[in-house]
Amino acid sequence: MTAYKISVAETLTWQVCAIEWLSQFFEEDPDALAFVLGGSLSAVTMQPDVWSDVDAKIILADQAVERYALSTAWLTPLGRLIGSEKHAGRVTRTLRVCLEGFQRLDLTFIAESALAELFAQNDALFHPTDVVMWSRLPDLTTRLAAAPSSPGYQDVARDEIEKLINTFWFKAALAIVKVARNDLLIGLHLALDLTRDCLVLQMIRRDQEKRTTIHRQGGWGNELVAGFSWDSQASSGEGILNLIQMSGEIFDELAAALLPDYTQRGPLLLSALESARQSTRTVSG
């Protein structure tokens, strides 16, 4: 068994306390085989800050994985739960939580039986910068040191972008219909989705520019946000239609930046938008 002394900034009080509590908690469970610290708190080349989460990988006996992955009750000593996400991977389970005091934990649980497969396939789950806080597996530290670096960035495939484009414009057409029929509830729901789709395209552009999908600091692409306006009239039928049109114009620009041979589709909906506006004016009148 090996021990590791955390060396992070003294200002990161909650992270230090959470790591120490988690490490000791699992070390006292005979079903836990290792506790591995990852993320910015383990990598000497990264600078954790007050917003950094605690990223840990816990290797467990097979029968213990769901005990921890499916419940948040065992985290109660750290504070009250604010929110959580649960994800099931091919051979892992992940529990992401935000606790009282804005303590954010990203915990990945790995069954002992899957460990050999992960290493044999050079799975990117582990990284050379990960730190073994303690382990009952004598060769774990050696295996981690030989773990492959994260795979390099790869652009989103063209067919995936085309799928996003086709889905966006079908959704835009449906949103227009809903507003024209005075279903503002669904109309606004779809219109807000259109703005999210624009942000997705901008995120893809940022990834391409930076050649990575990991962005600890923002800034690039923020100017797009200023392109969306929301005013007191946005809850009206005409306001929702304006949001649909504005999203379409922005989406056309972003799609053209990603695919140089893209042909704008927004103009194809202008007549439908105007007809829907006439319908909303009739209803409101």
Side-chain angles (χ1 to χ4, degrees):
M1 184 180 300
T2 60
Y4 173 77
K5 180 63 178 177
I6 306 165
S7 57
V8 294
E10 292 182 359
T11 53
L12 303 180
T13 305
W14 80 259
Q15 286 98 331
V16 172
C17 293
I19 292 169
E20 291 178 344
W21 185 89
L22 288 165
S23 178
Q24 181 177 349
F25 175 85
F26 282 106
E27 192 169 11
E28 293 173 355
D29 185 346
D31 283 335
L33 303 177
F35 186 90
V36 180
L37 183 65
S40 60
L41 295 174
S42 69
V44 295
T45 57
M46 300 185 72
Q47 296 296 319
D49 57 23
V50 68
W51 303 109
S52 298
D53 64 358
V54 171
D55 186 335
K57 305 173 183 76
I58 302 99
I59 302 171
L60 300 165
D62 289 25
Q63 70 273 11
V65 171
E66 291 194 351
R67 182 199 316 161
Y68 291 114
L70 300 182
S71 172
T72 59
W74 60 276
L75 287 166
T76 300
L78 283 176
R80 290 174 293 180
L81 179 71
I82 295 176
S84 66
E85 285 185 354
K86 298 173 185 177
H87 303 277
R90 184 174 54 84
V91 293
T92 62
R93 298 290 183 271
T94 299
L95 175 63
R96 306 181 71 194
V97 300
C98 182
L99 302 174
E100 184 177 2
F102 210 73
Q103 302 176 81
R104 297 188 307 114
L105 312 177
D106 194 335
L107 308 174
T108 300
F109 303 100
I110 306 157
E112 180 183 12
S113 63
L115 197 60
E117 178 185 350
L118 288 172
F119 283 116
Q121 296 183 357
N122 288 329
D123 194 284
L125 177 64
F126 292 105
H127 307 284
T129 56
D130 290 347
V131 172
V132 179
M133 300 287 291
W134 59 263
S135 174
R136 296 185 174 100
L137 303 169
D139 61 344
L140 182 60
T141 301
T142 302
R143 285 180 145 186
L144 284 182
S149 300
S150 299
Y153 169 78
Q154 291 184 334
D155 283 334
V156 176
R158 181 186 177 94
D159 60 346
E160 288 298 315
I161 296 176
E162 290 176 342
K163 181 180 178 181
L164 287 171
I165 291 171
N166 289 328
T167 300
F168 175 92
W169 288 112
F170 184 82
K171 193 187 307 180
L174 181 58
I176 293 171
V177 172
K178 291 299 182 181
V179 176
R181 291 177 173 171
N182 199 33
D183 190 346
L184 303 188
L185 178 65
I186 301 300
L188 180 57
H189 171 79
L190 293 171
L192 292 174
D193 237 14
L194 296 176
T195 66
R196 287 167 54 89
D197 291 340
C198 290
L199 299 177
V200 168
L201 288 195
Q202 184 75 329
M203 288 187 285
I204 292 173
R205 292 184 65 223
R206 177 172 70 171
D207 292 347
Q208 289 186 353
E209 173 73 20
K210 300 293 185 179
R211 308 309 297 172
T212 181
T213 59
I214 301 173
H215 310 280
R216 295 194 73 244
Q217 299 296 333
W220 193 101
N222 285 358
E223 68 281 355
L224 177 73
V225 178
F228 292 100
S229 61
W230 187 268
D231 55 37
S232 59
Q233 301 301 315
S235 58
S236 67
E238 188 154 0
I240 297 171
L241 292 170
N242 291 340
L243 181 60
I244 294 169
Q245 182 171 349
M246 178 175 57
S247 297
E249 292 169 352
I250 292 173
F251 191 90
D252 264 341
E253 293 180 9
L254 295 171
L258 286 169
L259 301 179
D261 58 346
Y262 172 79
T263 301
Q264 292 191 351
R265 302 189 192 180
L268 301 177
L269 290 181
L270 289 179
S271 61
L273 279 164
E274 186 54 39
S275 296
R277 287 190 176 97
Q278 295 297 329
S279 296
T280 59
R281 290 165 188 160
T282 299
V283 171
S284 61

